[in-house]
Structures are given as structure tokens and as C-alpha cells.
Amino acid sequence: MQAVLVAVVVVGCAVFAYVSAGRQAEETARRQATAAATAVADSPAVVTAARSKDPTAALQPYAERLRHDSGVDFVVVMAPDGTRWTHPEPSAIGKKYLGHIGPALHGRIFPETHMGVLGPSVRVVAPVHDPARGGRITALVSSGITIATISEQLRNQVLALAGVAAAALALGGAGTYVINARLRRHTHGMNAQELSRMHDYHQAALHAVREGLLMLDGERRVALINDGGRELLGLSQDAVGRPVTALGLPEALTEALLAPGPRVDELHLARERVLVVNAAPVSGGEHRGSVVTLRDHTELQALSGELDSVRGFAEALRSQAHEAANRLHAVVSLIELGRAEQAVEFATAELELAQALTDQVVGAVAEPVLAALLLGKAAQANERGVELTLTPDSRIDDGLLPPGLPARDLVTVLGNLLDNAIEAAAPTREQGAAEPPLVRVTARADGGELLLRVADNGPGVAPDAAEEIFRRGWTTKRAPAAHGHGLGLALVQQAVRRNGGALALDRAPEGGARFTVRLPLRRGAAV
């Protein structure tokens, strides 16, 4: 299409130039003939010769010389009746002039195109006035250029014009080929229809997938983002074209998006969500950016936390069942030995100890979700040799927590704090037994807020890590971090902020770390 367009433009310009050149050549010939005819008619030598008895003898050499000098094809001087006195063909002298002379006899200079002895020509006829005879017309002068001469001149111009047109056509064709080849290379050989179809599929796929898709260019600006990506990252419609650093994302997530290398199943926090981030660079001889996929891991992370709690509770029940079997064997053995009183005392002592902790938790925390969580964590702590106690000032009545405070957020906050505290206080092989491992929990609703405080007598948190402890990837696990570790405290901080609360870290009187969470009780909660 481009080649045809170029050819049409070039041919159109060539035709226009040819027509214009023909008209210009004819007009030039007419002006040249006019100049020659008027010059001869105004010459005194011609006036004098016209008075003589043999004008041809004086005018033929003069007319031929002027014809050669002016570049016209003929200069004919004739009598007023049209009898030729001069002519390039001597045989035509004395014969009648072929053409119109009427306007010239009336004193006008006029042009015309007429057939003559030399063929069709563009000619001009001018009158010769004799001043001595009162300006009477004593002769006529005709000067002209043949059509053959004009055509030859035009043919030379047309050859040059054809050369220019051919060069323009070749240049346009070559340019079109180069541009087309470059376009084909950049579009991988796809034509306009294929590109349009691919664009339609591309748009449909972007809006159909629920996962987030983010494409960054080489300068780390958002080149493309689908609806899922905007929802997961909490971005507006004007995100395209903005640099990653200007999106307002958490620092860790921003660093992951700016990293040049690939990322595989990394967990990151983005506002109220936990995201699984995968990134792969896009390159083709040069770095062109990267493609990032985002999957929502929030629900799965919360369920994983609850599953860990349930699994820990099940392990504690299994351990207690094993211990109960051992105690039952001991009671049976005491009875068989005839020591019934000691058997009763042993059995009731164990029941009183277990029931005391249950009564303390149930009596202080009537909220069923928190009570179940505390009992499960107490059993899990006992399994690991850690004593978990509830402070005497703990008190949360049933129905006190408003519906706007999700139970899942409470499980996230208190469950992760207890897991970290138990992990920190649990004894290791390298640790001495100077004092028993201890975790103290305070849970009370007072003054329009819910207070959750967890303290342990573990090694505590170094002062220089007080800020980093809430970042993604920071972990209290002594073993190498498994996949997904390092999110607990970050999730706690996220849940606290989501509910308008505050989270503080200081040193516990027991020597370890103490986390304090304050959550406002919204309107409608009775204290």
C-alpha cells in the first residue's frame, strides 16, 4: 500500500510537472518570438529597406543573422499584402505568407499558432510603421518557433523529470521496504489483523484473570497493570506511567519490584493483604523491564495460622492423652498395691492443677474465641516446658467485643504474639535452667479499649532491632527460617493498624520482651 501510494504521488507530480512544463515552454516561445518580431519592426534598417525597390537584398541577410542570434526558427519580413521579402527557405521568398495578418494591418501585435512552410509554429506578427509617411504601415514582421523545436525542448525536460521521478520512486520504495522490514521485525512478522486480534485477546486475558499482573519498563515505571493488580496493590486508575517508588507501596515490596533478578514465591505485605510475588525479567538484547505476578495469600495465611494453632492444640491433646494414660497406670498400680488413699490423692492433685488453669482462663476471658486460643496455647506451652499464666487483672466478658472487631484479627494478634513468646522462652539444649520458662498474658477491656499484653522471660529483643522486628522476614525462629516465616509480627502490626489500634514493644520485668496491643472498642460496646 505504501509503495502504491508513493507511485501514485510520484506519477501525479510528474504529470503535473509535464503539463506545466509544456505550457511554460509554449509561453516562453511566444515571448521569445514577440521580442524578435518587435525588435525587427522597430529597426530603422527595416523601414529604410521597405522603401527600396528590392527589399529582399537588404533584409534577407539581416533577418537570417537576427534569426540565429535570437534563437527563433524564422524571421519573415513581408509586404502589407503578405508577399514575403525574407524567409529561411529562399524558395519561399516572393510567395504569400501562410497565416493571419489582419490584426497587424490594424496596428496590433498579435500571437497565433499556425501551419507554415516549416510546419506548425508559435508565431507573432508585428506591423512596421514608417515615420516619414505619417506612421503608415509599410511592412509586416513575423517571427516564430516551430512546435517541433518546442517539443524537443520539452522532451529534454521530460527526460530530466522522468529521471527525478524514477529516483523518487526508487527512494520511496526503498524507504518503504526498510520501514516495513523494521516493523515486521518489531512485530515478529505479524500483520495489522494479527496484531489487532492479539490485542483483543490480550485485553480479554488481562481482565479475566483474578491474579494481579504488573509489567514494568526498563526505567521501572508501570507499563501495564490489570484490574486484579490494582485491587491487590490498592492503586488508582492513573498508575500506568508512574515509577514504582511513587506508588506508595511498602518498602520491602518496592525493593522486590525494583530488583533486577527473578523472584519466586516471595511473601510480601501490601496494605491489608499478604501477597505472593513472582517476578521475571524481560530481555531481548537489552533489559526491557520485568513481569510481576501477584497472588492474594491473605486468607490462606490466616487459615494457616489457625491451622497451626489447631495442630498445636491437637498435639497438646495427644500429649495429655499419653500423660493421662501414664497417670491412670500409676493410679491402678497404687490401688493394686493397696494404697488407695495415695491413689486418690495423686489423681485429684493432677485434676485440680489442670482444672485450675481452665477455670482461671474461662472465668477471666468469657469471649469464646480468645478463651479457646489461650487454652490451646497453654497446652502447647506446657508441651514445650513453658508455663503460660494469665494475670489476675485480666477480664473480658462475653459479648463485650463489638462486631466491627473481627475474631480472626484477634486470633492473628494474640496467636502470633503467643507463638513468638513461647518460642523465645522455650529452653534449648544450650540454655541453662536458672529460672523456669514463663509467659504472662494480660487480656482486659477497660476504659473503652481492649488491652492485650504478652511478656516472656526469654532473651528479649536487642534495642537496634526494635524497628526491624516488625518488618517482613524478621523471625525469632532459631532454626533456619522456613518458607513463610518472618510474617508473624508484620501481620500483627497490620491487623492492629487496620483496627485503629497501637502496638508497643518494651522490656518485661521478667527480662524478656513485652508486647502491648491497644485496640479501641467501637461505639456500642459496654464497659
Side-chain angles (χ1 to χ4, degrees):
M1 185 183 298
Q2 290 178 346
V4 170
L5 181 61
V6 170
V8 169
V9 170
V10 170
V11 171
C13 291
V15 171
F16 177 76
Y18 173 77
V19 174
S20 299
R23 292 176 180 175
Q24 185 177 4
E26 187 174 344
E27 182 63 27
T28 301
R30 187 175 290 110
R31 288 197 302 266
Q32 190 175 356
T34 301
T38 54
V40 172
D42 293 338
S43 173
V46 175
V47 176
T48 303
R51 297 175 189 163
S52 66
K53 294 181 179 181
D54 188 8
T56 301
L59 293 176
Q60 179 68 10
Y62 171 75
E64 287 299 301
R65 184 171 63 252
L66 183 62
R67 180 175 68 85
H68 289 291
D69 293 341
S70 60
V72 296
D73 287 334
F74 62 88
V75 175
V76 175
V77 183
M78 68 192 84
D81 61 356
T83 302
R84 300 188 189 98
W85 292 338
T86 65
H87 197 278
E89 295 289 340
S91 60
I93 297 174
K95 296 180 180 180
K96 290 292 185 179
Y97 172 75
L98 300 179
H100 301 91
I101 59 175
L105 292 175
H106 290 84
R108 290 193 298 111
I109 301 174
F110 75 96
E112 69 171 347
T113 301
H114 199 277
M115 175 64 73
V117 176
L118 301 178
S121 62
V122 175
R123 58 184 67 183
V124 175
V125 181
V128 178
H129 297 275
D130 189 348
R133 297 182 181 181
R136 192 179 66 170
I137 298 175
T138 59
L140 300 175
V141 179
S142 176
S143 175
I145 300 176
T146 61
I147 298 298
T149 302
I150 297 175
S151 299
E152 184 178 358
Q153 295 175 355
L154 183 59
R155 188 162 47 249
N156 295 333
Q157 295 180 3
V158 168
L159 291 177
L161 180 62
V164 173
L169 186 59
L171 183 61
T176 300
Y177 175 79
V178 171
I179 293 175
N180 183 65
R182 182 176 179 85
L183 275 175
R184 288 282 184 176
R185 186 167 61 252
H186 283 288
T187 59
H188 302 285
M190 289 185 290
N191 56 29
Q193 184 178 3
E194 292 171 335
L195 286 174
S196 177
R197 184 167 60 249
M198 182 178 179
H199 177 267
D200 294 339
Y201 291 154
H202 176 265
Q203 291 296 322
L206 282 180
H207 294 289
V209 295
R210 294 184 57 190
E211 288 77 10
L213 179 63
L214 178 66
M215 294 185 182
L216 306 176
D217 60 18
E219 297 181 2
R220 289 304 186 227
R221 292 177 305 204
V222 178
L224 185 145
I225 184 171
N226 68 343
D227 298 337
R230 286 191 179 93
E231 181 181 356
L232 294 177
L233 297 178
L235 301 179
S236 58
Q237 295 293 329
D238 62 347
V240 176
R242 296 169 58 187
V244 173
T245 53
L247 298 178
L249 301 176
E251 183 180 353
L253 180 56
T254 301
E255 292 176 357
L257 296 179
L258 293 175
R263 300 276 171 155
V264 180
D265 290 343
E266 290 189 0
L267 293 179
H268 288 273
L269 296 177
R271 292 180 173 88
E272 299 180 359
R273 300 178 184 273
V274 179
L275 303 180
V276 179
V277 178
N278 288 273
V282 178
S283 59
E286 57 178 340
H287 188 63
R288 298 181 180 175
S290 58
V291 177
V292 182
T293 59
L294 308 168
R295 284 184 287 123
D296 193 356
H297 198 63
T298 307
E299 298 293 331
L300 183 59
Q301 186 70 25
L303 292 176
S304 298
E306 295 181 12
L307 180 61
D308 289 341
S309 299
V310 172
R311 184 181 292 113
F313 190 56
E315 289 293 327
L317 290 178
R318 182 192 59 78
S319 176
Q320 289 183 1
H322 181 73
E323 291 297 324
N326 292 335
R327 297 191 193 102
L328 181 60
H329 290 159
V331 171
V332 171
S333 298
L334 288 173
I335 293 176
E336 289 177 348
L337 293 174
R339 300 183 177 184
E341 294 181 0
Q342 294 179 356
V344 172
E345 181 180 355
F346 177 76
T348 56
E350 291 295 329
L351 289 176
E352 289 176 357
L353 182 62
Q355 189 64 35
L357 178 60
T358 302
D359 292 342
Q360 182 186 10
V361 172
V362 174
V365 181
E367 181 64 32
V369 175
L370 292 181
L373 178 64
L374 288 171
L375 289 175
K377 293 299 181 183
Q380 183 180 349
N382 183 62
E383 176 76 11
R384 300 192 60 180
V386 178
E387 181 183 0
L388 191 151
T389 63
L390 196 64
T391 59
D393 58 342
S394 298
R395 183 73 181 180
I396 300 178
D397 295 330
D398 189 14
L400 183 63
L401 300 181
L405 188 60
R408 177 169 292 179
D409 285 350
L410 294 178
V411 171
T412 298
V413 172
L414 189 57
N416 280 290
L417 292 181
L418 287 174
D419 286 340
N420 284 339
I422 294 172
E423 180 71 24
T428 61
R429 295 179 181 178
E430 295 83 5
Q431 192 178 22
E435 54 185 27
L438 177 66
V439 174
R440 292 186 181 275
V441 181
T442 301
R444 70 169 182 267
D446 187 20
E449 67 177 9
L450 174 64
L451 174 68
L452 300 176
R453 179 177 290 140
V454 179
D456 63 74
N457 63 348
V461 178
D464 57 351
E467 296 293 335
E468 295 292 326
I469 192 173
F470 297 107
R471 289 173 57 88
R472 184 194 71 88
W474 201 96
T475 177
T476 59
K477 302 295 186 292
R478 296 184 178 91
H483 178 70
H485 284 174
L487 281 176
L489 292 177
L491 290 173
V492 170
Q493 186 180 54
Q494 185 185 70
V496 171
R497 289 178 176 176
R498 183 165 57 246
N499 291 278
L503 173 63
L505 167 65
D506 59 358
R507 191 167 185 82
E510 293 84 359
R514 180 172 64 180
F515 292 88
T516 302
V517 175
R518 299 179 185 274
L519 298 174
L521 295 176
R522 291 172 173 80
R523 188 177 303 173
V527 179

